[in-house]
Amino acid sequence: MSGVENSRAAAAYVSPAAIVSLVIAAVPLLFILFTSVDGRGLSPEAFENLLSSTLFRRSLYTTIEISVSASLISLVLGYAVALHLARQSPRRRALYMVLVLLPFWTSILVKSYAFTVILGREGVINSLLSWVSGSHIALPMILNRFGVMVGMTNYLTPFIVFPVLASLLAIDPALYRAADIMSARPMRIFFTITLPLSLPGVMAGVSSVIVMSLGFFIIPALLGGRQDVMLANLVDFYTRETLDWNMAAAIGVLLLAMVVLLSAPALWIRRNRLVGST
């Protein structure tokens, strides 16, 4: 089969998926962009109002702060889990991966409500601490930043585990045997072999969770307080409270721009690595 025939065959296979993607993704995005500039008015008023709004600037800062913090905590926890999984036998690793996937398969709404039961002032943890100490304890663990961090970390950690685990399993075991023969200490092996060679998985996982964190809505709404309003919650405020669709669409456009800006370096690095490997 010639190159032209291969291209035609590939286009025939890809075209249906491309058309569906265009309908369900591109059309709504264009409508949001159209709404953000006041339709045919093509007015940047909504963007000007947003940039001069104290509420928007505070929500933007909170969104970035929470996204980066949750991603770093998820990276530490996810890397430790992936490292443990990589050292298990294939059979035991498959069993443990099911345990990692269980919370991944559970609805984020169900998990958020479960955390209100576990972390509430009269919840499981406070009741257990009160029983152990013999006095009433009511630690504030929800409706604040702590609750948001717990909920987001629980959701995001599996997205770190799998790309990091793939990178760890791809490391040649001969490198570890050579390091062991040279009497290298475990910490030296980790910082000279394991960590550098697992960086592609780390970058893929971190870029994914940061992009997802920017659009979080349910967890900050259920587990956060007034100081933890993120941009997605602000969109909800403009669409349901003030019915200002132009402002809500403008926030959506800015969120999309942030995602593109964050994804571009990761894609560039991945492309350079692929070019370098070939």
Side-chain angles (χ1 to χ4, degrees):
M1 186 178 289
S2 65
V4 176
E5 291 176 339
N6 282 333
S7 301
R8 289 177 179 174
Y13 282 113
V14 172
S15 295
I19 293 173
V20 172
S21 301
L22 183 66
V23 171
I24 65 176
V27 173
L29 286 177
L30 290 175
F31 177 75
I32 291 174
L33 182 61
F34 183 74
T35 306
S36 68
V37 293
D38 196 21
R40 296 179 180 177
L42 296 178
S43 170
E45 182 180 358
F47 292 96
E48 294 173 354
N49 292 337
L50 276 181
L51 296 178
S52 61
S53 168
T54 304
L55 176 61
F56 172 75
R57 291 199 298 268
R58 188 168 64 237
S59 300
L60 177 62
Y61 176 76
T62 303
T63 301
I64 295 174
E65 187 180 37
I66 290 177
S67 299
V68 173
S69 302
S71 300
L72 292 178
I73 297 172
S74 301
L75 174 61
V76 174
L77 296 177
Y79 198 100
V81 173
L83 199 60
H84 180 70
L85 289 176
R87 294 174 177 173
Q88 304 302 315
S89 64
R91 187 173 183 178
R92 183 172 294 182
R93 186 187 307 130
L95 176 63
Y96 288 169
M97 286 179 68
V98 173
L99 299 178
V100 176
L101 285 170
L102 278 179
F104 183 71
W105 290 334
T106 308
S107 165
I108 187 173
L109 181 61
V110 173
K111 287 194 294 186
S112 298
Y113 275 116
F115 276 122
T116 61
V117 176
I118 296 173
L119 303 176
R121 288 185 180 273
E122 303 297 332
V124 176
I125 294 179
N126 277 323
S127 298
L128 181 61
L129 293 175
S130 300
W131 179 75
V132 171
S133 64
S135 60
H136 180 68
I137 295 179
L139 296 177
M141 292 185 285
I142 59 172
L143 303 180
N144 52 30
R145 184 64 59 87
F146 179 81
V148 176
M149 286 293 109
V150 171
M152 290 183 65
T153 302
N154 175 269
Y155 181 80
L156 295 173
T157 298
F159 291 95
I160 294 286
V161 171
F162 293 110
V164 173
L165 178 61
S167 294
L168 292 175
L169 293 177
I171 298 176
D172 190 348
L175 295 174
Y176 291 113
R177 289 196 294 271
D180 188 53
I181 292 173
M182 300 297 290
S183 302
R185 295 179 180 275
M187 291 298 291
R188 185 181 179 91
I189 294 175
F190 175 78
F191 285 108
T192 56
I193 298 176
T194 306
L195 184 59
L197 295 181
S198 63
L199 283 181
V202 171
M203 292 173 56
V206 170
S207 59
S208 298
V209 297
I210 287 183
V211 167
M212 286 189 291
S213 299
L214 293 175
F216 262 67
F217 168 73
I218 295 176
I219 291 176
L222 293 180
L223 302 178
R226 292 183 177 180
Q227 303 299 321
D228 306 305
V229 175
M230 299 178 70
L231 289 180
N233 305 107
L234 200 57
V235 172
D236 177 65
F237 170 75
Y238 281 120
T239 52
R240 292 203 307 169
E241 300 293 335
T242 65
L243 302 180
D244 193 337
W245 288 86
N246 293 343
M247 293 283 278
I251 295 174
V253 172
L254 292 177
L255 265 176
L256 179 62
M258 292 170 62
V259 169
V260 172
L261 288 176
L262 287 172
S263 303
L267 293 175
W268 181 79
I269 293 173
R270 182 180 179 184
R271 180 184 176 188
N272 284 351
R273 289 183 65 87
L274 289 175
V275 171
S277 63
T278 56

